[in-house]
Amino acid sequence: MSTARQITEDELNARRSRTVVWVVTISTIGLIFDGYDLVVYGAVVSTFLKDPTQIGEVTPALAGTLGSYALIGTLVGALLAGSVGDIVGRRKVMLTAYAWFSVGMLVTALVSNSTMFGVMRFVTGLGVGALVATTGALVAEIAPAGKKNLCNAITYSGVPIGSLLSALLAIMLLDSIGWRGMFMIGASPLLVLLPLAIFRMPESVAWLVSRGKIDQARALSERTGVPLPEAPTAAQEAAKREKVGFAGLFSRGYWLPTILLGFMSASALMLVYALNTWLPVLMEGAGFNTKGSLSFLLVLNGGAIVGALIGSRVADRFGPKPVVVASFVIGAGAMLLMTLSLPLALLLIFVSIVGLGTSGTQILIYGFTAGYYPTPMRGAGVAWCAGFGRLGGVAGPLLGGFLLAAGLAVSTIFFVLAGIGMVGALITLLVQRPNRPMEIHSTPIEPSAAATS
């Protein structure tokens, strides 16, 4: 092989590495603000419960309802983005989502009553859902083979990082800037992240090929170093017959796994949002002060990040399904142990393990789903996971509010949540790989004449 050709291949590899780093970095930052947006409410809800001068009188039941509005918006936004993203591309949807939820957070900070607060939480949730649903598809299509679960885990770790950041900033700043200042922080991507993404976030090469835009895909592949998909004739013909978007999700061979993946995600997200909304209140009920209770959110989401990153490496080697099952079971066991009278240090350890079994599990589920579907329906698949799963997310804050309003003991509430985790593990065991032709492979494009001259 000639020296010039070797240099060209090295340059293509270097370009791909830079592209992967940029995409994963921007996507992670986007989901940090995404996670901040959805969890900041849990960090300030105690303010609403205690002070009716903020947005009016808020009861525990109304607080649970308000907490669900953003998740309803997320559900709608994710499902819409799934179809739109498979048709117009990943990049356009993600850029729109960055702008949308930033403006939504800013307007939310300015409202003065619970009705408008709920409306704006729904509107903001539309952008949040679109971003969560589209990010996994783009990252899965750009990440190298053998590192797709890891790249997805790094990216979706942005959600618990944002949750952690929300709790940390609430501890440090809530007394001085109030809940309105906390929401204004969530609007900052409009000034920082969006301009960066416009210049550095490429479209998916695989998506361009799936839409028949071969020339654009070839040019983008050479510029970014991301391999141009190629496949044997049989696989190409199968790809042409593959239904696009949500129609593909419910076609023969996919409909049952699609339903199971939706309920699997719903189980995890019910736990995620029940705990991120109500854990501080539960721990106050267990005798901790406000700042100490918020600290449990830090530990919960820190455990999710570490657990998901470790789990993703195992998933890349052995497959994501057994890892997701194990995460559900481990998290449920940790919740049961939290019902015991434990020293603080041991309690914090179990809270971090609960983070693995809730937010950490959901991160792994996104990677599982992104790798499960072929390119023509991948965006819709991740959108279904994020969107239908938000039914569980909507139910989480409502469930917590209902259980608290019913006067149940903190230990009883943890028993209920542990049971939901075990249901999630059982659903995951039922998911089977569908019978379909071999997936399209990715191979490096041939360098252009200009590149080798």
Side-chain angles (χ1 to χ4, degrees):
M1 184 175 290
S2 67
T3 303
R5 175 64 178 269
Q6 184 62 47
I7 293 173
T8 300
E9 289 181 346
D10 288 345
E11 178 58 26
L12 285 173
N13 290 333
R15 290 178 186 178
R16 185 178 194 185
S17 296
R18 289 194 295 269
T19 299
V20 171
V21 169
W22 273 113
V23 169
V24 171
T25 299
I26 293 173
S27 298
T28 303
I29 295 173
L31 291 183
I32 286 173
F33 283 101
D34 205 318
Y36 180 94
D37 172 283
L38 285 174
V39 178
V40 67
Y41 176 71
V44 304
V45 67
S46 60
T47 299
F48 294 153
L49 291 169
K50 296 174 183 177
D51 187 357
T53 66
Q54 299 300 321
I55 58 172
E57 184 176 355
V58 177
T59 64
L62 177 58
T65 302
L66 291 175
S68 70
Y69 285 157
L71 299 174
I72 295 173
T74 303
L75 184 157
V76 176
L79 294 178
L80 289 175
S83 293
V84 174
D86 281 332
I87 295 172
V88 306
R90 323 301 191 202
R91 184 176 186 272
K92 291 179 182 178
V93 174
M94 291 178 70
L95 295 180
T96 301
Y98 290 147
W100 188 288
F101 79 74
S102 297
V103 173
M105 287 288 279
L106 179 62
V107 176
T108 303
L110 303 177
V111 303
S112 58
N113 59 73
S114 59
T115 300
M116 284 306 301
F117 183 88
V119 169
M120 287 312 304
R121 291 303 287 151
F122 172 81
V123 171
T124 304
L126 295 174
V128 172
L131 183 59
V132 170
T134 311
T135 297
L138 179 63
V139 171
E141 289 164 2
I142 288 180
K147 294 185 178 179
K148 293 185 182 296
N149 283 289
L150 177 61
C151 287
N152 256 293
I154 293 172
T155 300
Y156 278 99
S157 289
V159 176
I161 289 173
S163 304
L164 189 153
L165 182 64
S166 176
L168 181 61
L169 290 178
I171 292 171
M172 298 171 57
L173 301 176
L174 183 58
D175 290 341
S176 57
I177 67 175
W179 72 268
R180 297 183 190 276
M182 293 293 295
F183 274 81
M184 287 182 181
I185 290 173
S188 57
L190 190 65
L191 301 177
V192 180
L193 183 61
L194 180 60
L196 181 63
I198 289 173
F199 289 103
R200 291 292 185 176
M201 179 75 76
E203 185 52 88
S204 163
V205 172
W207 175 81
L208 289 171
V209 171
S210 74
R211 301 300 291 174
K213 302 179 180 181
I214 306 302
D215 290 340
Q216 293 181 42
R218 188 176 298 278
L220 182 62
S221 176
E222 189 167 326
R223 178 166 62 85
T224 62
V226 177
L228 188 72
E230 295 180 357
T233 302
Q236 288 178 340
E237 292 302 317
K240 291 178 181 179
R241 296 191 299 268
E242 201 81 77
K243 293 183 178 180
V244 176
F246 286 102
L249 299 188
F250 293 95
S251 61
R252 182 179 179 182
Y254 283 101
W255 68 269
L256 181 57
T258 293
I259 292 172
L260 292 173
L261 285 167
F263 278 103
M264 185 170 70
S265 178
S267 300
L269 286 173
M270 183 180 293
L271 295 173
V272 169
Y273 288 104
L275 288 169
N276 276 292
T277 300
W278 292 111
L279 184 61
V281 176
L282 289 173
M283 301 318 291
E284 281 189 47
F288 294 90
N289 60 32
T290 300
K291 288 189 175 181
S293 299
L294 285 171
S295 298
F296 283 99
L297 279 182
L298 295 176
V299 177
L300 180 78
N301 289 289
I305 296 165
V306 175
L309 291 176
I310 295 173
S312 68
R313 297 300 298 271
V314 180
D316 275 325
R317 183 171 180 180
F318 298 105
K321 178 178 172 178
V323 181
V324 172
V325 172
S327 296
F328 267 126
V329 173
I330 291 170
M335 279 185 273
L336 292 176
L337 291 172
M338 285 182 63
T339 64
L340 304 177
S341 180
L342 299 170
L344 178 59
L346 195 56
L347 182 62
L348 290 172
I349 291 174
F350 287 134
V351 169
S352 68
I353 296 173
V354 170
L356 163 64
T358 54
S359 295
T361 303
Q362 184 60 29
I363 291 170
L364 296 170
I365 289 172
Y366 284 130
F368 186 3
T369 305
Y372 192 89
Y373 295 102
T375 300
M377 62 181 79
R378 181 172 289 120
V382 179
W384 169 259
C385 175
F388 185 87
R390 275 332 188 265
L391 291 175
V394 170
L398 293 173
L399 175 65
F402 173 78
L403 294 176
L404 283 169
L408 296 180
V410 172
S411 60
T412 303
I413 294 175
F414 279 121
F415 274 118
V416 173
L417 297 178
I420 295 171
M422 292 305 298
V423 169
L426 291 174
I427 293 172
T428 307
L429 287 172
L430 297 176
V431 178
Q432 300 296 323
R433 172 70 60 179
N435 294 322
R436 65 167 184 249
M438 180 171 36
E439 191 71 88
I440 292 177
H441 300 287
S442 291
T443 55
I445 63 168
E446 289 297 318
S448 66
T452 56
S453 61

